[in-house]
Amino acid sequence: EMCGRDWSSDVCSSDLMSLDGYIADAQGGVDWLGGHWEPEEGMESYSRLLQRIDTVVMGWNTYHQVTTQLSPDRWVYEGLHTYVITHRPLPAAPGITFTAEDPCALVRRLRREEGKAVWICGGGSVVQPLIREDLIDEYHLSIIPTLLGSGIRLFGELADQRKLRLMQAQTTGGIAELIYRRR
């Protein structure tokens, strides 16, 4: 399939994850991130990622967390086109499209359009189908040194293995930042 995107890695997923593989606690909360993540830490790898992308895809819960908890006063993805996958009938906002489109269909469509890489910004309900359909080219994982024991997993069940190659590993303030590419 020909890609319209101008990067060899068209779809990047980026997630904060507990050491035992959870992106949120059993109630869907992310309070456990407190005390680990300083805004200036990890900015270098975040800035490099931002130079490569022009489109962000996220689920409703991630969008809600960003707009109510993480950055209620300022939309942090300004200048990027954001797709929020939700069944809520919401009007488009500047730079934001709310859509009920299936995440896999959306990503397949975006791959054919002109542009830079697509960043999958989170939500297990968005990331897991993309992993199952093998639509993620690159995984950016920030491993938080916390064991949650239960909650919302980043990776769900898979019918078959996904072989990855470690491209980069660094630590910032006790957080392991790992970048894997599909083999």
Side-chain angles (χ1 to χ4, degrees):
E1 172 181 345
M2 278 300 293
C3 291
R5 301 275 161 182
D6 59 5
W7 286 89
S8 60
S9 177
D10 291 330
V11 179
C12 306
S13 174
S14 175
D15 288 283
L16 300 172
M17 179 174 87
S18 69
L19 184 59
D20 52 351
Y22 296 99
I23 55 174
D25 64 25
Q27 288 73 44
V30 291
D31 295 345
W32 55 277
L33 291 171
H36 289 295
W37 194 261
E38 295 301 321
E40 63 276 2
E41 291 178 356
M43 285 311 289
E44 185 181 323
S45 59
Y46 181 67
S47 296
R48 279 197 307 271
L49 178 63
L50 285 179
Q51 290 169 10
R52 295 178 50 200
I53 66 167
D54 61 5
T55 305
V56 180
V57 176
M58 67 180 67
W60 166 258
N61 290 337
T62 302
Y63 171 78
H64 187 70
Q65 278 177 335
V66 168
T67 56
T68 61
Q69 296 172 20
L70 304 176
S71 183
D73 302 324
R74 186 176 77 84
W75 179 239
V76 293
Y77 304 112
E78 197 170 321
L80 302 171
H81 192 95
T82 303
Y83 290 87
V84 178
I85 298 176
T86 178
H87 292 289
R88 292 168 173 82
L90 298 167
I96 302 172
T97 301
F98 297 97
T99 179
E101 193 171 359
D102 169 76
C104 297
L106 173 62
V107 165
R108 284 187 179 100
R109 181 169 60 77
L110 291 173
R111 274 182 185 263
R112 290 188 298 269
E113 294 176 2
E114 288 297 316
K116 293 183 178 181
V118 176
W119 177 23
I120 309 303
C121 183
S125 63
V126 174
V127 174
Q128 288 178 12
L130 296 172
I131 294 170
R132 280 194 300 273
E133 296 288 324
D134 203 18
L135 292 171
I136 296 175
D137 301 301
E138 197 168 273
Y139 295 84
H140 293 239
L141 301 172
S142 295
I143 311 299
I144 309 300
T146 299
L147 296 170
L148 285 180
S150 68
I152 299 170
R153 286 204 168 278
L154 174 61
F155 303 107
E157 298 283 322
L158 289 175
D160 51 355
Q161 297 177 3
R162 296 287 178 269
K163 302 265 187 200
L164 305 173
R165 180 183 320 125
L166 180 64
M167 302 304 291
Q168 185 178 335
Q170 67 184 50
T171 58
T172 308
I175 296 170
E177 293 182 33
L178 308 171
I179 299 176
Y180 290 94
R181 287 186 70 138
R182 188 168 43 167
R183 271 203 254 166

